[in-house]
């Protein structure tokens, strides 16, 4: 079967600031589909012109579209174009997994793949190719006789070493070279899946499970050799939820990088408490090329941290940044503003805390109740989600009814947080572009247009609260 895999363009803030990485999920799907002798093409509309979609739709039998929350409308536009060409349409990804009914009811989607799709999708394609019943495929949703059918969940892939490496050769890799580490073009890799921590604002543990599943260091090194020697990359982003969850495994990977004399620069995600408890690991990672660690600090307010399920102390956060700096590793500190109990005072406290621990890069996101998270379920029941324009679910817009702040106030405070942190001259050059774009997407005229849209949408549903501005 001829299969087109499409990554929709992102309307989110990370696209605005130029953070574009290859869609690994689609590249993994391509690998398992090619193992079944299907002909696969990937079209990434992050970097490809939209006009290429029409031409590619003429030469395929089935279209698979990845669907993240803020890309949901773009995904449906692509699905609509595919249906006009008479193609079968399959959606997957986080938003599709948790909002399957909404997407199927659009009439533009034939099937939803729920969860990790490397084995589910090829099985679905096989069933469709043979005109068999889809009821035998675990982990999918579809409409039948006017009703939503959900087959039982598929088991998560247990041995990640058995999954073939992502087919990066199907991607226009040169178009992602704008994302760099110290001047080196960056490639992304996933070395583990699942997260045992279950933060309330994150859907990872619902999508990939709370059981951490890790690839072996040997398997990781085999892929590293591929991107290092065959593709020529010297910078890697390990985009696991927590690369250092097993310090022993992380040490083993570092040992192998040093043994093979790979001159790579890399960054990863970790936790402050892990950094504090395992300083020798940080030293070893730095020797093996670690340049930056992304850490979620979230808030300085203890009650808000508890609400997020974030078991972390202020002292651990400060110490983690100090340890990283000691070994020449930069820190990217992430904070979340906009908890329902947030006030101007708690935001000021968080900004002062950020200045105190002083990470090299700071990120102030606005709390977003993504479908699949505990936050979404809770605030959905409480009627606090006042904006259901999925494009606004990007971490830069307020979509919740807060107790003490309205959306405009929160947006202004988020902008002020960046300006306050980066007003020191040494930080200003690297932050100016990000701040400028954050300001642009929160201009008052846009907010007024959104207000009119919100009011119109709320009037369609008398049970939904109309936001106050």
């Amino acid at each position: 079967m001829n299969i087109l895999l499409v990554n929709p363009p992102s309307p989110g803030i990370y696209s605005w600031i130029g953070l574009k990485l290859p869609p690994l999920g689609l590249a993994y799907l391509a690998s398992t589909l090619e193992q079944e002798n299907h002909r696969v093409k990937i079209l990434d509309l992050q970097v490809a012109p939209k006009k290429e979609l029409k031409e590619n739709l003429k030469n395929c039998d089935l279209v698979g579209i990845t669907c993240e929350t803020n890309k949901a409308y773009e995904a449906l536009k692509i699905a609509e174009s595919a249906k006009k060409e008479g193609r079968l349409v399959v959606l997957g990804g986080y938003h599709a997994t948790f909002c399957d009914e909404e997407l199927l009811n659009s009439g533009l989607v034939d099937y939803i793949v729920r969860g990790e799709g490397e084995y589910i999708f090829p099985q679905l394609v096989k069933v469709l190719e043979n005109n068999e019943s889809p009821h035998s495929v675990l982990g999918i949703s579809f409409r039948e006789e006017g009703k939503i059918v959900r087959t039982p969940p598929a088991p998560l892939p247990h041995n990640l070493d058995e999954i073939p490496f992502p087919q990066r050769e199907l991607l226009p890799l040169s178009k992602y070279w704008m994302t760099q580490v110290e001047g080196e073009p960056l490639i992304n890799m996933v070395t583990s899946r699942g997260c045992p921590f279950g933060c309330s604002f994150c859907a990872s543990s619902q999508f990939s499970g709370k059981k951490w599943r890790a690839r072996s260091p040997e398997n990781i090194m085999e892929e590293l050799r591929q991107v290092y020697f065959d593709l020529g990359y010297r910078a890697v982003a390990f985009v696991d939820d927590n690369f250092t969850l097993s310090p022993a495994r992380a040490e083993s990977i570092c040992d192998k990088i040093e043994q093979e004399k790979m001159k790579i620069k890399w960054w990863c995600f970790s936790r402050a408490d892990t950094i504090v408890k395992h300083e020798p690991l940080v030293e070893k990672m730095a020797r093996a090329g670690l340049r930056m660690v992304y850490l979620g600090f979230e808030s300085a307010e203890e009650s808000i941290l508890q609400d997020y399920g974030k078991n972390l102390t202020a002292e651990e956060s400060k110490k983690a940044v100090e340890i990283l700096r000691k070994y020449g590793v930069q820190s990217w500190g992430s904070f979340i503003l906009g908890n329902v109990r947030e006030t101007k005072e708690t935001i000021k406290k968080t900004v002062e805390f950020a200045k105190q621990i002083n990470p090299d890069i700071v990120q102030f996101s606005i709390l977003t109740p993504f479908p699949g998270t505990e936050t979404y379920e809770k605030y959905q029941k409480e009627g606090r989600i006042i904006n259901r324009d999925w494009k606004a679910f990007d971490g830069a817009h307020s979509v919740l009814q807060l107790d003490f702040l309205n959306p405009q106030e929160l947006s202004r405070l988020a902008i002020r947080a960046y300006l306050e942190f980066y007003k020191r001259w040494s930080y200003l050059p690297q932050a100016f572009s990000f701040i400028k774009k954050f300001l642009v997407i929160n201009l008052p005229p846009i907010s007024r247009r959104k207000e009119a849209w919100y009011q119109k949408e709320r009037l369609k549903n008398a049970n939904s609260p109309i936001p106050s501005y």
Side-chain angles (χ1 to χ4, degrees):
M1 187 177 281
N2 292 318
I3 299 172
L4 176 65
L5 302 177
V6 185
N7 185 34
S10 173
I13 190 168
Y14 298 108
S15 177
W16 278 66
I17 64 174
L19 183 59
K20 296 176 181 178
L21 292 170
L24 277 187
L26 294 185
Y28 269 113
L29 286 180
S31 295
T32 53
L33 287 166
E34 287 188 346
Q35 280 190 335
E36 301 298 324
N37 298 316
H38 298 292
R39 294 164 295 282
V40 184
K41 182 166 185 178
I42 299 177
L43 179 62
D44 185 1
L45 293 175
Q46 285 187 114
V47 295
K50 288 186 178 181
K51 63 182 181 181
E52 290 190 16
L53 177 63
K54 187 173 182 179
E55 187 63 32
N56 280 281
L57 287 175
K58 295 177 181 178
N59 302 309
C60 68
D61 305 303
L62 181 149
V63 180
I65 308 167
T66 188
C67 185
E68 299 168 21
T69 298
N70 71 328
K71 295 181 179 181
Y73 299 140
E74 293 292 336
L76 287 177
K77 288 179 185 177
I78 296 166
E80 183 177 22
S81 298
K83 296 306 291 181
K84 287 179 180 178
E85 294 290 337
R87 309 303 177 218
L88 283 168
V89 174
V90 180
L91 262 59
Y94 274 73
H95 192 78
T97 295
F98 301 117
C99 295
D100 56 349
E101 182 173 0
E102 171 192 310
L103 295 168
L104 289 169
N105 284 341
S106 71
L108 301 171
V109 181
D110 297 297
Y111 298 94
I112 297 286
V113 170
R114 307 193 312 272
E116 297 176 12
E118 286 90 354
Y119 296 133
I120 303 172
F121 194 24
Q123 187 180 356
L124 173 61
V125 171
K126 182 179 179 180
V127 162
L128 296 174
E129 195 172 36
N130 295 332
N131 293 316
E132 297 172 353
S133 170
H135 288 269
S136 63
V137 182
L138 298 178
I140 65 169
S141 304
F142 55 96
R143 286 181 63 87
E144 186 177 70
E145 297 179 356
K147 296 181 180 179
I148 302 295
V149 176
R150 295 184 180 92
T151 63
L156 293 165
H158 175 67
N159 186 351
L160 300 185
D161 286 3
E162 293 179 349
I163 300 176
F165 298 151
Q167 266 288 31
R168 294 184 175 91
E169 291 81 358
L170 296 179
L171 293 163
L173 294 178
S174 63
K175 294 185 178 181
Y176 305 99
W177 280 35
M178 64 190 77
T179 305
Q180 302 183 347
V181 173
E182 296 180 2
E184 292 287 349
L186 184 72
I187 195 76
N188 47 343
M189 282 182 58
V190 176
T191 74
S192 65
R193 300 182 186 182
C195 180
F197 295 106
C199 296
S200 63
F201 53 78
C202 178
S204 178
S205 58
Q206 294 298 317
F207 187 86
S208 292
K210 287 192 173 183
K211 183 179 179 181
W212 188 65
R213 294 163 290 133
R215 294 168 56 191
S216 68
E218 294 75 19
N219 183 257
I220 294 164
M221 288 306 299
E222 187 179 345
E223 185 179 356
L224 262 181
R225 293 186 201 104
Q226 185 184 86
V227 301
Y228 188 87
F229 294 111
D230 298 344
L231 301 180
Y233 281 89
R234 298 294 182 267
V236 177
F238 294 112
V239 293
D240 316 25
D241 288 311
N242 190 338
F243 180 77
T244 59
L245 191 61
S246 167
R249 187 193 77 129
E251 283 194 22
S252 178
I253 294 168
C254 292
D255 287 339
K256 292 180 183 299
I257 290 173
E258 288 190 276
Q259 289 165 9
E260 300 204 16
K261 295 181 170 46
M262 285 186 175
K263 303 299 182 182
I264 63 171
K265 303 170 183 178
W266 52 281
W267 62 265
C268 68
F269 291 74
S270 185
R271 282 177 57 97
D273 49 3
T274 301
I275 298 298
V276 172
K277 293 173 184 175
H278 300 279
E279 184 173 341
L281 171 62
V282 176
E283 183 180 12
K284 179 168 285 192
M285 291 194 299
R287 286 202 314 267
L290 178 65
R291 292 293 188 270
M292 180 176 288
V293 175
Y294 183 104
L295 298 168
F297 301 124
E298 319 317 355
S299 177
E301 183 66 31
E302 183 62 31
S303 63
I304 291 177
L305 285 175
Q306 291 178 357
D307 192 44
Y308 292 157
K310 195 79 177 182
N311 186 19
L312 192 65
T313 67
E315 186 57 34
E316 285 174 324
S317 298
K318 183 179 180 181
K319 184 66 174 176
V321 173
E322 291 174 353
I323 290 173
L324 290 171
R325 189 164 287 136
K326 177 180 176 180
Y327 295 103
V329 178
Q330 290 189 315
S331 54
W332 182 322
S334 173
F335 297 87
I336 299 176
L337 310 179
N339 182 274
V340 295
R341 293 191 297 275
E342 198 85 75
T343 64
K344 292 180 180 179
E345 289 71 29
T346 59
I347 289 178
K348 181 179 180 181
K349 182 179 178 181
T350 294
V351 175
E352 290 302 314
F353 178 58
K355 290 163 64 177
Q356 178 188 354
I357 64 176
N358 198 29
D360 296 277
I361 296 175
V362 71
Q363 173 183 323
F364 294 107
S365 300
I366 291 177
L367 179 63
T368 304
F370 289 105
T373 64
E374 182 183 319
T375 298
Y376 180 86
E377 295 300 325
K378 178 181 179 180
Y379 296 141
Q380 165 86 342
K381 290 178 182 177
E382 294 180 7
R384 287 185 179 270
I385 302 177
I386 57 174
N387 174 9
R388 293 189 178 279
D389 178 359
W390 296 127
K391 293 192 296 296
F393 281 60
D394 61 356
H397 296 87
S398 176
V399 299
L400 288 172
Q401 181 72 57
L402 310 189
D403 289 340
F404 306 109
L405 299 170
N406 65 39
Q408 281 78 17
E409 288 175 321
L410 182 57
S411 292
R412 286 194 293 269
L413 288 168
I415 293 167
R416 188 180 300 169
Y418 277 108
L419 294 170
E420 181 68 21
F421 183 86
Y422 284 115
K423 71 180 180 182
R424 295 163 287 180
W425 289 109
S426 60
Y427 282 105
L428 203 55
Q430 71 189 75
F432 179 72
S433 177
F434 186 92
I435 295 170
K436 179 177 67 175
K437 287 164 183 174
F438 196 97
L439 283 164
V440 167
I441 66 173
N442 283 280
L443 286 173
I446 297 177
S447 297
R448 285 196 291 270
R449 289 200 298 272
K450 285 180 180 175
E451 178 182 356
W453 185 89
Y454 299 160
Q455 299 287 4
K456 181 180 177 182
E457 289 298 304
R458 296 290 79 76
L459 289 173
K460 294 179 182 177
N461 187 348
N463 295 322
S464 297
I466 297 177
S468 58
Y469 291 89

